[in-house]
Amino acid sequence: MRNYSTTKRVLVTGGAGFLGSHLCGRLLEKGYDVLCLDNMYTGTKENIAHMLGETRFEFMRHDVTFPLYVEVDEIFNLACPASPIHYQFDPVQTTKTSVHGAINMLGLAKRVKARILQASTSEVYGDPEVHPQEESYWGRVNPIGERACYDEGKRCAETLFFDYHRQHGLEIKVARIFNTYGPRMHPNDGRVVSNFIVQALKNEPITLYGDGMQTRSFCYVDDLVDGLIRLMASPADVIGPINLGNPVEYTVKQLAEKIIELTGSSSTMAFRPLPSDDPRQRQPNIGRAKELLDWEPTTELEEGLKKTIDYFENAFSA
Ligand code: NAD
Ligand code: UDP
Ligand code: UDP
């Protein structure tokens, strides 16, 4: 199906979410025609409001669990709630989004011969015994736990991507994204960086789950989006999975201390029960991304946190 433009047409599912909206912005900067699709489950109109006036930007409200017939050249499949609070609110829908959503987007990619990238996750490693996590590790996931709707949904989506590649010759890319933070996280998102910043700015207690000694490695959103774009543009034989994340590891307690320091907050720390199956440790081995994509994060935690704190101060100061 032709139109008069030769501009590359890119579909971003979950485009009104935190990562998706940054990705849409970067793709517009690169001169592409962007179709942003979202069912607004955790996404917001505010995230994409600044792009709505652009001729090359189009928003479509749609749920990826239903078939979609559009004509595009590339697909970034990001649709899926990412915060434990939100993906556990309606776990059946979370699995449907990952699995039926992947089938529909792969079916679409097959029909229009589009290259397709899956936003997978470090959660496919579960509560890992191998540390740092490298792509060859198969993971340790509880298949019947409260996180399984997300973890197993994402694992099944990876299976579908590789089977469409092997069975139908689709050009696929699978990114395993580690904890990413930055402006446009929703204040009620529930993930650790936004929770701590919102609490610190209000001088309310910082809620540490468990003893706060579990670790995560935090990647700033601009670095992550750069990695996704490099992966999509990589040679056809680079299919992944590829870890994308910042390899510098912190305990959750260290993160709380850093945020209290940067905000000058008088917040104290309040310890709360550890959610079930909460991984004890997480750190990406990014050797593959360095070698194949010439990619590594450049934003240090303090710098990224300052930008994120500025965002929360300005966006919600009223
Ligand atoms: P987010 O919740 O801000 O964005 C997800 C978006 O998907 C939202 O806009 C939501 O409305 C939309 N969505 C959910 N279900 C949908 C459906 N059925 N149909 C259409 N749209 C739907 O989360 P995020 O952090 O931007 O995450 C984006 C993607 O990256 C997700 O797939 C997530 O699993 C993955 N990821 C993110 C991180 C991270 O740290 N941010 C880490 C690993 C993986
Ligand atoms: N699909 C879609 N858009 C398309 C083509 C397919 O949403 O442009 C959906 C379709 O509903 C189907 C799924 O993708 O259920 C998988 O498509 P595929 O062609 O792989 O399988 P089949 O249609 O043979 O079941
Ligand atoms: N966490 C916390 N307090 C909060 C939110 C999260 O201590 O208010 C912890 C959570 O238990 C986990 C880590 O911070 O160990 C990261 O949680 P998040 O939900 O951001 O992402 P996850 O990596 O668990 O998917």
Side-chain angles (χ1 to χ4, degrees), residues 14 16-20 37-43 62-65 77-82 93 97 119-122 150 154 177-180 189 191:
F18 159 54
L19 291 182
L37 179 146
D38 206 294
N39 71 346
M40 292 312 200
Y41 184 61
T42 51
H62 179 82
D63 186 320
V64 290
T65 61
N77 189 35
L78 272 65
C80 186
Q93 172 66 14
T97 291
S120 190
T121 166
S122 52
Y150 184 75
K154 290 283 189 179
I177 302 170
F178 283 64
N179 298 64
T180 302
D189 179 274
R191 279 176 282 185

Side-chain angles (χ1 to χ4, degrees), residues 82-84 87 123 147 179 190-193 195-196 199 207-209 214 216 218 252 274-275 278-279 282:
S83 164
Y87 70 63
E123 283 284 322
R147 295 174 86 102
N179 298 64
R191 279 176 282 185
V192 68
V193 175
N195 267 12
F196 285 4
Q199 290 161 347
T207 52
L208 286 170
Y209 301 161
Q214 67 272 37
R216 294 293 187 274
F218 300 100
V252 165
L274 188 69
D278 197 285
R282 185 180 289 154

Side-chain angles (χ1 to χ4, degrees), residues 282-300:
R282 185 180 289 154
Q283 181 193 25
N285 175 324
I286 59 164
R288 211 181 259 191
K290 276 188 188 163
E291 183 193 329
L292 297 173
L293 309 178
D294 190 24
W295 177 86
E296 65 181 314
T298 58
T299 312
E300 287 185 8

Side-chain angles (χ1 to χ4, degrees), residues 127-128 131 192 196 206-218 249-257 269-275 278-283:
D127 189 7
H131 192 74
V192 68
F196 285 4
I206 305 276
T207 52
L208 286 170
Y209 301 161
D211 58 8
M213 297 313 284
Q214 67 272 37
T215 68
R216 294 293 187 274
S217 309
F218 300 100
E249 184 182 11
Y250 293 88
T251 65
V252 165
K253 188 156 178 272
Q254 285 172 324
L255 176 74
E257 288 162 356
M269 294 193 199
F271 292 88
R272 300 274 184 269
L274 188 69
D278 197 285
R280 294 297 308 166
Q281 53 181 358
R282 185 180 289 154
Q283 181 193 25

